[in-house]
Amino acid sequence: MSKEIWAVLEQGETGLREDSGELLAELTEIAQRQPEQTLVCAILLIAPGSNLPDTALLPRLGVRRLYLLEHTRLAHYTTEGYVSALAWLLQQRAPALVASTASANGRAWMPRLAARLQLPFVPGCLGLDLHDAALFALRSIYEGRAYIQTRAALHGRTALATLATGVRGVPTSVGTAAADNQPIEMSTFTPEIKEQQEAVRRIAIQAPSPEEVELDVAERIVAGGRGVGREGFASLASFARLLGAAVGATRVATDRGWVEHERQIGATGKSVHPKLYLACGISGAAQHTSGIREAETIVAINPDRNAPILALADLGLLGDANEILPLAAKMLET
Ligand SMILES: Cc1cc2nc3c(=O)[nH]c(=O)nc-3n(C[C@H](O)[C@H](O)[C@H](O)COP(=O)(O)OP(=O)(O)OC[C@H]3O[C@@H](n4cnc5c(N)ncnc54)[C@H](O)[C@@H]3O)c2cc1C
């Protein structure tokens, strides 16, 4: 049996999550570095009869096998469902590595799977490698102010890891044209999921507030800096809510406690790739703009026409963000 590396993929409302590509590209590179033949397998957990997402991306990103785990209890995400189904398949096939993105779900099921099967687990990795019977992971520490390389000895066990996304960008292809055309082997499994008393029951799905939307996957971000001030963040969040956007911030704003540290964008914060990035009261220091290189459209509000962010922006509004945002909000509401 060939050595396998698994990517557990998640579906969003419109198909595979956008960061699936980043995860697959990372795992394909690891597979290519292995001395023995190593296959990247995509794993999808679904309910019987449910529609499969578009999987055209998979062969382009080096996937050779697709394993479908089908069970009625997988109609919606539950941590227990994922842990039970994956533990079942993992015990049968013993892959070298199982990875997922460090999404809210990935951060919930992966450590529990590690605990259930007593496997080594490294969370929130920026980069991964497998060699010398160990998992090597690059991770950021101290709120992103430093990096460490960790080594987890495997002793023949499967390694588990979650990958932070927004680090390497979303590739469209990692192979050759010939590799793109290779068919994917698809296998369907019905895992054993014990009928237990429901510990967690799904009642409804509620949209997250702008302060909770994950920055790494947000399509729109309204970010604030020193120029909006502590009070300005309230109207910034209201405006973000109207746009269906996430709130981001500079380090000045997070260091002052105006918003949570996890909202920080930049060299020591998150790298983001939204379609729209609205920068309010942000000067555009290199340590901040390094995190928005992949934003498609940047709009900046700043009264200082010499602010570096205006040179970078597709559209610049010269003025006070605390006056412009409430006016723009009124226009959106009417
Ligand atoms: C090692 C290191 C790592 C760093 N990592 C990061 C990082 O990850 N992320 C990050 O963001 N920073 C980081 N920094 C800090 C970075 O260098 C800048 O200091 C910071 O980004 C500046 O934040 P700011 O734009 O909010 O503030 P400022 O640079 O002070 O800019 C405020 C801007 O607001 C404008 N303004 C004033 N009033 C208004 C108003 N009413 N309406 C609209 N605009 C107004 C001003 O004209 C000005 O351009 C790092 C620094 C170091 C040394």
Side-chain angles (χ1 to χ4, degrees):
M1 194 162 78
S2 314
K3 186 163 142 184
E4 292 184 350
I5 289 180
W6 291 2
V8 181
L9 304 181
E10 281 182 52
Q11 296 187 64
E13 279 172 18
T14 53
L16 289 177
R17 267 176 66 116
E18 206 186 322
D19 50 20
S20 306
E22 229 179 312
L23 173 67
L24 290 171
E26 181 74 18
L27 298 189
T28 298
E29 283 180 12
I30 298 172
Q32 286 165 348
R33 287 195 291 268
Q34 302 306 301
E36 66 274 63
Q37 193 198 23
T38 304
L39 300 178
V40 176
C41 309
I43 317 283
L44 278 173
L45 291 85
I46 55 171
S50 60
N51 291 333
L52 272 186
D54 180 8
T55 53
L57 160 94
L58 301 183
R60 287 204 300 275
L61 291 175
V63 174
R64 295 290 160 257
R65 287 185 182 153
L66 173 61
Y67 292 155
L68 298 176
L69 280 168
E70 273 191 4
H71 197 284
T72 47
R73 290 190 57 196
L74 297 172
H76 304 295
Y77 171 82
T78 62
T79 302
E80 178 51 34
Y82 263 55
V83 172
S84 298
L86 287 162
W88 179 85
L89 190 63
L90 205 147
Q91 282 170 317
Q92 297 182 37
R93 302 196 66 88
L97 169 67
V98 179
S100 78
T101 57
S103 64
N105 292 347
R107 294 196 303 268
W109 65 260
M110 186 73 93
R112 288 171 174 83
L113 179 66
R116 185 165 302 177
L117 299 182
Q118 298 286 295
L119 295 176
F121 165 54
V122 189
C125 307
L126 304 176
L128 287 168
D129 208 355
L130 267 182
H131 56 85
D132 299 316
L135 176 72
F136 292 81
L138 179 69
R139 303 184 61 220
S140 79
I141 53 171
Y142 304 130
E143 301 281 357
R145 288 174 173 80
Y147 299 107
I148 48 164
Q149 181 82 47
T150 63
R151 174 183 178 279
L154 299 178
H155 304 294
R157 295 167 301 170
T158 299
L160 306 186
T162 54
L163 195 75
T165 52
V167 177
R168 57 178 295 156
V170 180
T172 50
S173 172
V174 291
T176 58
D180 290 358
N181 294 330
Q182 279 192 23
I184 285 195
E185 277 174 48
M186 185 151 50
S187 311
T188 304
F189 301 90
T190 306
E192 275 169 24
I193 301 182
K194 288 204 182 82
E195 290 300 330
Q196 292 170 336
Q197 202 186 356
E198 269 183 315
V200 177
R201 195 155 47 90
R202 177 176 139 135
I203 299 168
I205 291 189
Q206 203 173 355
S209 72
E211 294 89 345
E212 291 165 341
V213 176
E214 287 186 63
L215 282 172
D216 335 43
V217 292
E219 293 209 335
R220 280 167 279 209
I221 295 176
V222 179
R226 192 200 308 263
V228 296
R230 181 188 290 276
E231 283 73 33
F233 265 89
S235 54
L236 190 135
S238 311
F239 187 70
R241 192 167 291 115
L242 283 173
L243 271 189
V247 168
T250 63
R251 181 156 146 190
V252 170
T254 57
D255 277 354
R256 289 173 181 214
W258 298 347
V259 276
E260 296 289 316
H261 267 289
E262 63 182 27
R263 300 273 121 201
Q264 183 180 317
I265 293 167
T268 49
K270 297 223 162 104
S271 293
V272 294
H273 45 93
K275 291 199 164 75
L276 173 68
Y277 188 79
L278 176 57
C280 308
I282 293 177
S283 60
Q287 291 89 350
H288 181 75
T289 54
S290 66
I292 57 171
R293 273 194 215 117
E294 291 191 32
E296 275 178 34
T297 303
I298 298 176
V299 178
I301 308 178
N302 199 309
D304 176 7
R305 62 174 62 245
N306 296 316
I309 192 80
L310 290 173
L312 193 74
D314 299 279
L315 175 68
L317 301 175
L318 281 180
D320 181 341
N322 292 330
E323 286 177 7
I324 293 172
L325 285 182
L327 284 176
K330 266 199 192 124
M331 287 167 73
L332 279 180
E333 278 164 346
T334 51

Short mmCIF file of all heavy atoms in Angstrom, two decimals, residues 304-332:
data_model
loop_
_atom_site.label_atom_id
_atom_site.label_comp_id
_atom_site.label_asym_id
_atom_site.label_seq_id
_atom_site.Cartn_x
_atom_site.Cartn_y
_atom_site.Cartn_z
N ASP A 304 -4.58 62.66 5.60
CA ASP A 304 -3.22 63.05 5.22
C ASP A 304 -2.90 62.52 3.82
O ASP A 304 -2.70 61.32 3.63
CB ASP A 304 -2.24 62.47 6.26
CG ASP A 304 -0.79 62.74 5.89
OD1 ASP A 304 -0.55 63.47 4.91
OD2 ASP A 304 0.09 62.19 6.58
N ARG A 305 -2.84 63.45 2.84
CA ARG A 305 -2.64 62.99 1.47
C ARG A 305 -1.26 62.34 1.27
O ARG A 305 -1.02 61.69 0.26
CB ARG A 305 -2.87 64.11 0.45
CG ARG A 305 -1.94 65.30 0.55
CD ARG A 305 -2.17 66.27 -0.61
NE ARG A 305 -3.53 66.84 -0.60
CZ ARG A 305 -4.42 66.60 -1.56
NH1 ARG A 305 -4.12 65.82 -2.57
NH2 ARG A 305 -5.62 67.17 -1.51
N ASN A 306 -0.34 62.51 2.23
CA ASN A 306 0.98 61.87 2.11
C ASN A 306 1.04 60.50 2.80
O ASN A 306 2.10 59.88 2.83
CB ASN A 306 2.06 62.78 2.70
CG ASN A 306 2.17 64.07 1.91
OD1 ASN A 306 2.16 64.04 0.68
ND2 ASN A 306 2.23 65.20 2.61
N ALA A 307 -0.07 60.05 3.35
CA ALA A 307 -0.04 58.75 4.04
C ALA A 307 0.26 57.65 3.02
O ALA A 307 -0.37 57.59 1.95
CB ALA A 307 -1.39 58.49 4.71
N PRO A 308 1.22 56.76 3.31
CA PRO A 308 1.60 55.71 2.35
C PRO A 308 0.44 54.82 1.91
O PRO A 308 0.43 54.32 0.79
CB PRO A 308 2.64 54.88 3.12
CG PRO A 308 3.12 55.76 4.23
CD PRO A 308 2.04 56.74 4.54
N ILE A 309 -0.57 54.66 2.75
CA ILE A 309 -1.69 53.78 2.38
C ILE A 309 -2.41 54.32 1.14
O ILE A 309 -2.94 53.56 0.34
CB ILE A 309 -2.70 53.62 3.57
CG1 ILE A 309 -3.70 52.49 3.30
CG2 ILE A 309 -3.45 54.91 3.87
CD1 ILE A 309 -3.22 51.13 3.54
N LEU A 310 -2.38 55.67 0.96
CA LEU A 310 -3.08 56.25 -0.19
C LEU A 310 -2.35 55.93 -1.51
O LEU A 310 -2.97 55.86 -2.56
CB LEU A 310 -3.26 57.76 -0.01
CG LEU A 310 -4.26 58.13 1.10
CD1 LEU A 310 -4.26 59.64 1.34
CD2 LEU A 310 -5.66 57.67 0.75
N ALA A 311 -1.04 55.72 -1.42
CA ALA A 311 -0.29 55.36 -2.63
C ALA A 311 -0.62 53.93 -3.05
O ALA A 311 -0.54 53.56 -4.21
CB ALA A 311 1.20 55.50 -2.36
N LEU A 312 -1.02 53.13 -2.07
CA LEU A 312 -1.30 51.71 -2.31
C LEU A 312 -2.76 51.48 -2.71
O LEU A 312 -3.09 50.51 -3.39
CB LEU A 312 -1.01 50.97 -1.00
CG LEU A 312 -0.91 49.47 -0.98
CD1 LEU A 312 0.40 49.06 -1.61
CD2 LEU A 312 -0.94 48.99 0.48
N ALA A 313 -3.62 52.42 -2.27
CA ALA A 313 -5.06 52.19 -2.40
C ALA A 313 -5.55 52.35 -3.84
O ALA A 313 -5.02 53.14 -4.61
CB ALA A 313 -5.81 53.17 -1.50
N ASP A 314 -6.58 51.57 -4.18
CA ASP A 314 -7.24 51.73 -5.48
C ASP A 314 -8.12 52.98 -5.45
O ASP A 314 -8.35 53.62 -6.46
CB ASP A 314 -8.11 50.50 -5.78
CG ASP A 314 -7.27 49.24 -5.83
OD1 ASP A 314 -6.67 48.99 -6.87
OD2 ASP A 314 -7.18 48.54 -4.80
N LEU A 315 -8.64 53.28 -4.26
CA LEU A 315 -9.48 54.47 -4.10
C LEU A 315 -9.14 55.10 -2.75
O LEU A 315 -9.12 54.41 -1.73
CB LEU A 315 -10.96 54.06 -4.11
CG LEU A 315 -11.96 55.18 -3.83
CD1 LEU A 315 -11.98 56.20 -4.97
CD2 LEU A 315 -13.37 54.59 -3.66
N GLY A 316 -8.83 56.39 -2.76
CA GLY A 316 -8.52 57.07 -1.50
C GLY A 316 -9.55 58.14 -1.21
O GLY A 316 -9.95 58.88 -2.12
N LEU A 317 -10.01 58.20 0.04
CA LEU A 317 -10.94 59.25 0.44
C LEU A 317 -10.21 60.13 1.43
O LEU A 317 -9.82 59.67 2.51
CB LEU A 317 -12.19 58.65 1.09
CG LEU A 317 -13.01 57.69 0.23
CD1 LEU A 317 -14.14 57.08 1.03
CD2 LEU A 317 -13.57 58.41 -0.99
N LEU A 318 -9.98 61.40 1.07
CA LEU A 318 -9.27 62.31 1.96
C LEU A 318 -10.27 62.85 2.97
O LEU A 318 -11.20 63.57 2.59
CB LEU A 318 -8.69 63.48 1.17
CG LEU A 318 -7.40 63.23 0.39
CD1 LEU A 318 -6.98 64.49 -0.34
CD2 LEU A 318 -6.29 62.76 1.33
N GLY A 319 -10.14 62.45 4.22
CA GLY A 319 -11.10 62.96 5.20
C GLY A 319 -11.04 62.19 6.50
O GLY A 319 -10.19 61.30 6.69
N ASP A 320 -11.98 62.53 7.38
CA ASP A 320 -12.04 61.96 8.72
C ASP A 320 -12.92 60.70 8.67
O ASP A 320 -14.11 60.78 8.35
CB ASP A 320 -12.67 63.03 9.64
CG ASP A 320 -12.77 62.56 11.08
OD1 ASP A 320 -12.72 61.34 11.32
OD2 ASP A 320 -12.92 63.43 11.96
N ALA A 321 -12.33 59.56 9.01
CA ALA A 321 -13.07 58.29 8.94
C ALA A 321 -14.27 58.31 9.88
O ALA A 321 -15.31 57.72 9.57
CB ALA A 321 -12.15 57.13 9.30
N ASN A 322 -14.15 59.02 11.00
CA ASN A 322 -15.25 59.02 11.97
C ASN A 322 -16.43 59.86 11.48
O ASN A 322 -17.52 59.77 12.04
CB ASN A 322 -14.75 59.51 13.33
CG ASN A 322 -13.80 58.50 13.94
OD1 ASN A 322 -13.92 57.30 13.68
ND2 ASN A 322 -12.83 58.97 14.71
N GLU A 323 -16.22 60.67 10.46
CA GLU A 323 -17.35 61.38 9.84
C GLU A 323 -17.86 60.61 8.63
O GLU A 323 -19.06 60.52 8.40
CB GLU A 323 -16.90 62.78 9.38
CG GLU A 323 -16.71 63.75 10.52
CD GLU A 323 -16.20 65.10 10.04
OE1 GLU A 323 -16.12 65.32 8.81
OE2 GLU A 323 -15.87 65.93 10.91
N ILE A 324 -16.92 60.05 7.87
CA ILE A 324 -17.31 59.39 6.61
C ILE A 324 -18.06 58.07 6.87
O ILE A 324 -19.06 57.78 6.21
CB ILE A 324 -16.07 59.17 5.71
CG1 ILE A 324 -15.53 60.54 5.26
CG2 ILE A 324 -16.38 58.29 4.51
CD1 ILE A 324 -14.21 60.49 4.53
N LEU A 325 -17.60 57.28 7.84
CA LEU A 325 -18.23 55.96 8.06
C LEU A 325 -19.71 56.07 8.44
O LEU A 325 -20.55 55.38 7.86
CB LEU A 325 -17.46 55.15 9.10
CG LEU A 325 -16.13 54.55 8.64
CD1 LEU A 325 -15.49 53.73 9.76
CD2 LEU A 325 -16.31 53.67 7.40
N PRO A 326 -20.09 56.96 9.41
CA PRO A 326 -21.52 57.06 9.72
C PRO A 326 -22.35 57.53 8.52
O PRO A 326 -23.47 57.06 8.31
CB PRO A 326 -21.57 58.09 10.87
CG PRO A 326 -20.20 58.06 11.46
CD PRO A 326 -19.27 57.75 10.33
N LEU A 327 -21.78 58.44 7.70
CA LEU A 327 -22.51 58.90 6.51
C LEU A 327 -22.70 57.75 5.52
O LEU A 327 -23.79 57.55 4.98
CB LEU A 327 -21.72 60.02 5.80
CG LEU A 327 -21.76 61.40 6.46
CD1 LEU A 327 -20.87 62.36 5.69
CD2 LEU A 327 -23.20 61.91 6.47
N ALA A 328 -21.61 57.00 5.32
CA ALA A 328 -21.69 55.86 4.38
C ALA A 328 -22.68 54.82 4.90
O ALA A 328 -23.42 54.21 4.13
CB ALA A 328 -20.31 55.25 4.20
N ALA A 329 -22.71 54.64 6.24
CA ALA A 329 -23.65 53.67 6.83
C ALA A 329 -25.08 54.10 6.55
O ALA A 329 -25.92 53.28 6.19
CB ALA A 329 -23.40 53.57 8.33
N LYS A 330 -25.34 55.41 6.70
CA LYS A 330 -26.70 55.91 6.44
C LYS A 330 -27.09 55.63 5.00
O LYS A 330 -28.22 55.24 4.70
CB LYS A 330 -26.75 57.43 6.69
CG LYS A 330 -27.19 57.76 8.09
CD LYS A 330 -27.68 59.20 8.19
CE LYS A 330 -27.81 59.53 9.67
NZ LYS A 330 -27.05 60.69 10.04
N MET A 331 -26.13 55.85 4.09
CA MET A 331 -26.43 55.62 2.66
C MET A 331 -26.74 54.14 2.41
O MET A 331 -27.61 53.81 1.62
CB MET A 331 -25.25 56.07 1.80
CG MET A 331 -25.13 57.58 1.72
SD MET A 331 -23.55 58.09 1.02
CE MET A 331 -23.79 57.68 -0.67
N LEU A 332 -26.02 53.25 3.09
CA LEU A 332 -26.26 51.82 2.90
C LEU A 332 -27.61 51.41 3.47
O LEU A 332 -28.27 50.51 2.95
CB LEU A 332 -25.17 50.99 3.59
CG LEU A 332 -23.84 50.81 2.86
CD1 LEU A 332 -22.89 49.97 3.70
CD2 LEU A 332 -24.07 50.10 1.51
#
